[in-house]
Amino acid sequence: MPSKKSPRVAKQQLNPYTRFFNAQKALPTVGNNGQRPDIYNRESVYVVSNKQRGKRRTGRETNQPTWQRLRSAGGGANEDRFMVVTQDNTQQPRDKPVLTASQLDAICYDVIKEPPMQFHVDGTDIAPSIRGLRLSVCVEHTRFQLVAKVTRNMGFQHVPEHRLWNIQWSDSTPHHDLLRNMKRFQQINHFPGMVEICRKDLLSRNLNRMLKLYPGDYRIFPKTWLMPTDAYDVAIYAAKHKRTFILKPYSAGQGRGIWITTDLRTVGKREKLICQTYIERPLLIDGYKFDLRVYTLVTSVDPLRIFVYNEGLARFATQKYVPPTINNSHNVFMHLTNYCLNRRNSQYMVGNGPEAGSKRKLSAFNKWLVDHNYDVAEFWASVDDAIIKTLISAWPTLKHNYNMCFPKHDKIQASFQLLGFDILVDWKLKPYILEVNHTPSLSADESVDMEVKRPLIRDTLNMLSTALVDKEQIIRDDRSEHRARLLSNIYKKKAAAQIPGYSSPNREVGGSDARQACSIGALTQQIAWEESHLGNYRRIMPPRDSDKVNYYCKFYEQNKQPMFADTLASRRRGELNHQTIQRHQRERQQHLFQQQQLLSQQNRWPGDTLQSPRINPVILQSRRRREEAEAHAKKHRALIAREIQRQKEQLLAPTCAKERLGIWQSVRREKRHRYSPKRSNSITKAHRRKQHRNLNQRIRHQRMLELEAQRDAKFLEQHAKHQRLQGGRVIDQSEAKSRISLKSKSSLKNKHKTPKHKRKPILRKSSRSLMTKSRQDLNLTGAQTQQSIHWKAGNISDLETNQHLSWRKERATQLNNTRLRELIFSKMYENGHLTKNDIKCFPDLLYHILSKDFNETHTG
Ligand code: ADP
């Protein structure tokens, strides 16, 4: 309890509307002897007003409000008691029925006479420092009226953002400037970095990573791929399994841009989408598909503390479910369960009772499960498990971001977050995480919303340990610390000016240690508070079962796994750390050495001769180490350089395919780009990705062309062997070699010596001479042709030309009757020569060109 009270606080405590904790003093006296009623250890005090809200009070009320103690329904000794304080000076009429706990919505304050548990941590003395101050909340940045309403009913004061609020409830993730400037008593309803699980692409990336690390444990979401990055993998999967896929935009919500398909070729190659296997057999209630909205509260990330609300919503589709077919896959009212979509359907039912309507309570869903002999406890255990695993997947980022943003929050947690998990249940009662909402809707359109969301907000705010901090004390402490820091800076500057070798001590060392110890104490207080203010929440993390605690421990080690640790970034970070430590050591040693020299100079007698300076062994050792490290680094660099050279050679090896693909040019272009001074860090990631994609594409093309070349070679070989091509002849190896060398020499000569305009006739001449020569060669005996498989083309006879033309004509008519255009384009599309857009734009043109080409050759 605070010893000293400001006059303003004392004034506030006389006011029965004020939230305060030393209720014993402020309670109205009973009878004439001026005795106050005793307050039990834990008691909730309510103000019940019979007066209309918004009416101005006529004068200052002199009389104290009356009170009445209510027995809870069970009447058990351990149960909470409620004390009702009426503000209108009238005793509650005897005939009026006693209010039930749910009716007492206007909670004014919870009274805790003693802390429920006493914790003892070394060096800390923990007793909740509850002050009689009214808590304030900033609800400027939320569009949900219900939040403002409930907070007002709870006695919170509404303040604008620039004031020193205790809690801020906002719909969007706040800017990090706001987070950094938060005072130590302030709390906000977002954790920095929660986007890791609240955006569909990041969620699937994290869950896929965890699935790779722990394949047996992370089957908590449908198989998911990120398009276009994973397009190849999903194509392979689709070829092997006949499945339906659901495609969703990365960060849209409320069912926008979602579609279902069985044919992934309809997906644009560059569209950024999440591709997920569609759960074709969901659990149906009355023939309708539904999903669950499970509200989850995270009160701390380090340690991770997660609570799940026992009440929530089941949101139903508005048309009876039929497994997806081509005809019905576009029907959003059948396949999607989003409230925003389904409320537009005329068949949307606003529920009259708990077991009817398109939106029902989780308690009604649980009843349905019990009625149909399902194991409810087991089902909710698997839901809890999925929620915990999802949050753990983002835990390293959450923890890091929190510690970075709130290094000074030592009294209470700076953030809390109410998340909305969308969970789909299949026919085997297996839950699948579909999405996590960082700002679940708190609008109250129907009575069922009101019944769920109103107590949800109230219980969430009750769970926060905001009341445990002394706001004024913190403000005072911060001010004095600030002043001390300013003064110490001045002193330090003075000291630095007077003493030449003076270096300022590290400010963080003492402070951070003290704060660390304090924050452990605050944490124990927070835990005690949360355990005693659960309301309708249940704690799922840390689990109550010790086996489960051990089970989840392994997931916290995710960033120690090789997949996470062996990234380029982590290696670089390690290197940098190592370098920094070495630099510090060197500096310290130098400093020591200088001090020693200074001492030895001071201790020297005037007559002493100057000795050659002895090198400190510590410095010698450090030098040796540095040299070793440099040698090692040099070796490493040489290795890398060799590897790069090898890869370059591989890439630059002249193959016909590469030339045709223009890889030469692109390599040269890349080189230029790599060493260009314009290159900045911000584009590296995107650029790297693009390069990677281009390289993959080129490799694919190259492979394809090489395959084609191989096929051609095989074909020629076969024909040469079987002597099918008439008019050609097979030449022996030595002749072939000499010809090739001659030909290449002559062509080289031609290239270098002959001017451009003279080249054509020479070529024509040479080809004519070759033709006559080949005609002479035709007379060679068949025995000679058997010697080798080197084959040379001869003249094509008229008969052959006619035969060929007639074959082409026949083939063309044959193809004209088939779907030639589709054939060509599908083939080109399969080979990656065309995008979807090309096909849309150019089919007619391309077809025209092709047919024209054919006609020309045909007539020619
Ligand atoms: P949004 O953010 O747009 O609500 P969701 O991921 O929640 O996107 O999906 C919207 C709806 O689509 C869900 O409520 C659910 O009914 C349906 N849905 C989403 N993913 C699947 C899936 N893999 N299988 C079956 N239905 C799904």
Side-chain angles (χ1 to χ4, degrees):
M1 294 284 157
S3 52
K4 202 179 156 192
K5 288 170 200 155
S6 66
R8 191 157 167 242
V9 172
K11 199 180 165 194
Q12 276 180 347
Q13 279 178 356
L14 291 174
N15 184 345
Y17 301 101
T18 310
R19 182 186 169 103
F20 59 90
F21 289 91
N22 49 354
Q24 181 76 64
K25 272 188 200 166
L27 276 176
T29 48
V30 190
N32 297 332
N33 53 0
Q35 288 246 317
R36 292 178 203 278
D38 278 336
I39 288 180
Y40 296 101
N41 274 358
R42 184 176 175 343
E43 198 154 37
S44 300
V45 180
Y46 294 85
V47 172
V48 183
S49 169
N50 290 342
K51 278 184 182 172
Q52 271 188 352
R53 275 185 189 282
K55 266 192 178 178
R56 273 180 79 89
R57 269 178 289 162
T58 45
R60 195 185 159 85
E61 287 169 22
T62 44
N63 290 340
Q64 290 286 324
T66 56
W67 64 273
Q68 185 184 3
R69 179 166 275 141
L70 297 182
R71 296 247 161 248
S72 55
N78 293 334
E79 285 184 53
D80 294 350
R81 275 168 268 255
F82 304 104
M83 177 169 285
V84 178
V85 182
T86 55
Q87 72 166 67
D88 55 350
N89 273 343
T90 52
Q91 201 75 37
Q92 272 211 308
R94 295 225 176 272
D95 52 330
K96 219 177 174 185
V98 170
L99 299 167
T100 61
S102 61
Q103 282 169 310
L104 297 170
D105 204 38
I107 178 168
C108 193
Y109 42 79
D110 266 353
V111 180
I112 299 178
K113 201 171 161 191
E114 286 165 16
M117 278 179 264
Q118 282 294 334
F119 291 88
H120 277 285
V121 178
D122 288 345
T124 53
D125 207 355
I126 306 142
S129 56
I130 297 166
R131 284 292 310 258
L133 273 178
R134 192 171 181 189
L135 299 179
S136 57
V137 63
C138 169
V139 285
E140 269 184 353
H141 301 298
T142 176
R143 63 181 184 282
F144 303 118
Q145 295 294 316
L146 198 60
V147 179
K149 211 167 163 184
V150 173
T151 44
R152 198 175 296 118
N153 281 344
M154 287 176 76
F156 281 96
Q157 188 188 3
H158 285 187
V159 291
E161 198 194 352
H162 65 268
R163 293 270 300 279
L164 288 174
W165 37 263
N166 287 87
I167 297 171
Q168 182 172 145
W169 194 294
S170 84
D171 290 349
S172 54
T173 313
H175 193 266
H176 69 261
D177 277 351
L178 172 74
L179 300 181
R180 277 162 59 93
N181 293 331
M182 267 167 64
K183 300 272 177 272
R184 282 187 293 146
F185 55 85
Q186 291 184 319
Q187 288 184 298
I188 197 157
N189 68 330
H190 289 280
F191 276 100
M194 200 53 101
V195 70
E196 284 289 318
I197 55 168
C198 294
R199 245 181 64 169
K200 289 193 187 87
D201 53 335
L202 298 180
L203 173 72
S204 62
R205 194 167 289 161
N206 277 320
L207 291 182
N208 276 332
R209 177 175 53 81
M210 292 301 274
L211 186 67
K212 260 186 205 160
L213 292 174
Y214 310 98
D217 301 297
Y218 261 82
R219 302 207 175 280
I220 53 167
F221 65 110
K223 268 189 187 310
T224 312
W225 297 268
L226 287 181
M227 303 286 257
T229 327
D230 298 339
Y232 184 66
D233 297 344
V234 73
I236 288 174
Y237 182 83
K240 282 184 190 164
H241 307 85
K242 201 174 175 315
R243 293 293 301 263
T244 309
F245 298 92
I246 182 164
L247 291 126
K248 314 175 191 178
Y250 277 2
S251 55
Q254 305 184 337
R256 275 188 294 251
I258 297 182
W259 45 290
I260 298 166
T261 182
T262 46
D263 185 7
L264 286 176
R265 278 177 300 176
T266 51
V267 184
K269 280 199 165 181
R270 291 183 200 97
E271 277 181 88
K272 288 190 168 182
L273 293 168
I274 294 286
C275 178
Q276 223 172 43
T277 50
Y278 188 71
I279 311 287
E280 286 177 44
R281 290 182 70 187
L283 186 71
L284 303 178
I285 295 183
D286 306 335
Y288 292 100
K289 181 181 170 177
F290 66 94
D291 74 349
L292 305 178
R293 166 56 59 89
V294 180
Y295 295 103
T296 304
L297 176 68
V298 183
T299 55
S300 138
V301 286
D302 186 21
L304 193 58
R305 288 182 66 75
I306 312 170
F307 301 85
V308 169
Y309 205 61
N310 291 324
E311 196 54 277
L313 292 169
R315 297 157 318 164
F316 286 74
T318 41
Q319 268 185 28
K320 292 216 169 178
Y321 183 77
V322 179
T325 58
I326 294 175
N327 296 331
N328 71 22
S329 61
H330 60 275
N331 190 343
V332 286
F333 300 131
M334 182 187 286
H335 293 288
L336 306 189
T337 52
N338 296 77
Y339 165 69
C340 303
L341 283 175
N342 282 290
R343 74 173 167 191
R344 286 189 222 133
N345 192 2
S346 56
Q347 290 172 35
Y348 184 86
M349 288 181 284
V350 179
N352 290 327
E355 281 155 44
S358 298
K359 216 191 242 187
R360 300 179 199 174
K361 285 206 267 184
L362 279 189
S363 46
F365 168 67
N366 285 342
K367 191 171 169 294
W368 185 91
L369 288 181
V370 173
D371 291 347
H372 290 78
N373 295 327
Y374 285 110
D375 190 343
V376 182
E378 197 185 315
F379 169 71
W380 282 107
S382 55
V383 171
D384 292 352
D385 179 64
I387 291 173
I388 292 172
K389 282 176 181 166
T390 309
L391 275 159
I392 289 184
S393 73
W395 179 73
T397 316
L398 287 175
K399 185 182 157 194
H400 173 81
N401 287 8
Y402 183 84
N403 289 333
M404 285 295 107
C405 285
F406 309 111
K408 288 190 282 181
H409 259 79
D410 54 347
K411 299 280 183 202
I412 48 167
Q413 293 292 325
S415 302
F416 64 96
Q417 190 146 14
L418 183 66
L419 297 166
F421 277 75
D422 285 354
I423 290 173
L424 191 74
V425 189
D426 75 352
W427 64 286
K428 289 183 195 163
L429 215 67
K430 181 173 164 44
Y432 288 94
I433 301 280
L434 293 185
E435 196 196 7
V436 186
N437 289 285
H438 62 87
T439 311
S441 163
L442 293 174
S443 56
D445 302 339
E446 295 174 32
S447 60
V448 66
D449 285 325
M450 207 61 170
E451 284 164 28
V452 173
K453 290 171 188 173
R454 207 179 150 108
L456 169 75
I457 300 168
R458 194 189 57 202
D459 287 352
T460 305
L461 290 167
N462 271 340
M463 278 279 278
L464 306 180
S465 49
T466 325
L468 290 179
V469 286
D470 191 338
K471 187 171 167 178
E472 286 187 347
Q473 185 63 42
I474 287 178
I475 293 170
R476 270 199 302 273
D477 287 354
D478 281 355
R479 257 185 223 147
S480 57
E481 193 184 331
H482 186 65
R483 204 178 309 128
R485 208 181 318 142
L486 282 176
L487 286 174
S488 72
N489 273 344
I490 294 165
Y491 288 138
K492 255 184 258 164
K493 270 180 199 160
K494 273 187 187 168
Q498 283 165 7
I499 313 161
Y502 177 84
S503 70
S504 63
N506 195 352
R507 200 180 68 81
E508 278 300 302
V509 177
S512 66
D513 277 355
R515 277 197 179 138
Q516 190 59 34
C518 194
S519 67
I520 291 169
L523 198 68
T524 45
Q525 271 191 25
Q526 179 198 336
I527 292 168
W529 178 275
E530 283 169 2
E531 294 302 322
S532 58
H533 289 77
L534 280 175
N536 204 6
Y537 274 109
R538 65 174 185 278
R539 196 188 76 211
I540 61 166
M541 192 75 210
R544 296 193 186 274
D545 189 355
S546 63
D547 288 346
K548 276 194 181 170
V549 174
N550 292 335
Y551 170 67
Y552 289 117
C553 271
K554 67 177 176 190
F555 303 125
Y556 286 108
E557 313 248 303
Q558 52 184 282
N559 41 4
K560 285 182 193 155
Q561 295 284 335
M563 196 173 112
F564 213 83
D566 204 32
T567 56
L568 204 69
S570 65
R571 258 180 277 143
R572 182 90 190 104
R573 221 178 297 135
E575 266 173 36
L576 278 176
N577 281 348
H578 185 68
Q579 281 171 9
T580 323
I581 291 167
Q582 278 196 336
R583 203 178 55 238
H584 277 301
Q585 274 181 352
R586 238 176 288 142
E587 279 168 9
R588 218 180 46 224
Q589 279 157 9
Q590 268 177 5
H591 183 68
L592 270 172
F593 183 61
Q594 277 171 2
Q595 275 188 343
Q596 270 187 359
Q597 274 193 334
L598 217 73
L599 269 174
S600 61
Q601 274 175 10
Q602 280 170 0
N603 294 342
R604 202 184 302 137
W605 290 99
D608 278 0
T609 50
L610 215 77
Q611 289 174 0
S612 64
R614 255 181 51 220
I615 300 171
N616 193 329
V618 183
I619 292 174
L620 259 179
Q621 200 187 1
S622 82
R623 245 186 234 169
R624 211 180 310 129
R625 268 206 216 121
R626 208 186 321 147
E627 276 164 15
E628 271 172 17
E630 268 167 18
H632 185 74
K634 206 173 163 186
K635 223 169 157 184
H636 189 66
R637 273 200 301 274
L639 242 165
I640 289 170
R642 227 176 295 147
E643 180 60 25
I644 290 169
Q645 186 61 31
R646 195 181 62 79
Q647 283 184 9
K648 230 192 254 171
E649 272 166 17
Q650 258 186 14
L651 194 71
L652 298 181
T655 64
C656 145
K658 275 177 189 167
E659 274 175 22
R660 276 168 69 183
L661 275 170
I663 278 191
W664 291 99
Q665 286 169 15
S666 58
V667 166
R668 251 173 260 139
R669 222 182 300 136
E670 268 170 29
K671 241 181 173 178
R672 222 184 302 139
H673 185 76
R674 184 170 297 169
Y675 299 115
S676 83
K678 273 183 200 164
R679 195 171 176 237
S680 73
N681 271 347
S682 58
I683 58 145
T684 47
K685 204 172 174 187
H687 181 68
R688 231 182 298 137
R689 246 189 245 146
K690 199 174 158 192
Q691 269 188 342
H692 190 67
R693 223 181 307 131
N694 285 348
L695 194 70
N696 277 351
Q697 212 175 0
R698 280 209 304 275
I699 288 168
R700 235 179 292 138
H701 274 256
Q702 186 190 342
R703 267 193 217 135
M704 200 192 69
L705 286 165
E706 272 168 5
L707 217 73
E708 265 177 31
Q710 272 174 16
R711 252 187 258 144
D712 286 351
K714 216 171 164 186
F715 171 79
L716 276 176
E717 211 170 290
Q718 273 179 4
H719 277 270
K721 263 185 193 168
H722 298 123
Q723 295 285 307
R724 268 201 213 131
L725 291 175
Q726 306 215 336
R729 73 175 187 100
V730 177
I731 51 172
D732 66 7
Q733 218 146 6
S734 56
E735 195 188 345
K737 269 184 191 169
S738 63
R739 271 183 190 210
I740 289 165
S741 59
L742 254 171
K743 208 175 163 187
S744 60
K745 269 181 198 169
S746 65
S747 64
L748 269 174
K749 270 182 198 170
N750 283 342
K751 256 188 187 174
H752 291 298
K753 290 179 184 172
T754 352
K756 249 187 183 176
H757 59 276
K758 281 185 184 174
R759 253 180 229 166
K760 234 180 178 178
I762 290 170
L763 274 172
R764 223 179 281 147
K765 207 174 150 191
S766 65
S767 67
R768 222 177 287 143
S769 66
L770 267 171
M771 270 162 72
T772 47
K773 220 174 182 197
S774 63
R775 240 179 248 140
Q776 285 163 12
D777 289 343
L778 258 174
N779 303 328
L780 281 170
T781 53
Q784 269 175 310
T785 52
Q786 297 288 326
Q787 283 172 7
S788 159
I789 58 160
H790 284 279
W791 183 85
K792 187 188 169 302
N795 267 6
I796 298 167
S797 66
D798 290 347
L799 184 73
E800 276 172 325
T801 320
N802 288 340
Q803 266 179 359
H804 179 67
L805 281 175
S806 65
W807 173 80
R808 280 190 76 171
K809 204 173 172 186
E810 205 178 290
R811 182 78 181 131
T813 43
Q814 200 183 347
L815 286 176
N816 275 339
N817 293 336
T818 59
R819 291 157 64 200
L820 176 63
R821 190 188 308 190
E822 280 86 339
L823 264 174
I824 292 167
F825 286 112
S826 59
K827 191 72 191 164
M828 286 175 91
Y829 183 54
E830 267 170 33
N831 290 341
H833 295 307
L834 286 178
T835 62
K836 219 170 99 186
N837 275 346
D838 291 336
I839 295 171
K840 267 188 208 160
C841 299
F842 301 116
D844 289 315
L845 183 67
L846 220 55
Y847 182 66
H848 187 65
I849 290 166
L850 285 171
S851 54
K852 203 173 130 197
D853 181 37
F854 168 71
N855 284 339
E856 270 173 20
T857 49
H858 184 68
T859 50

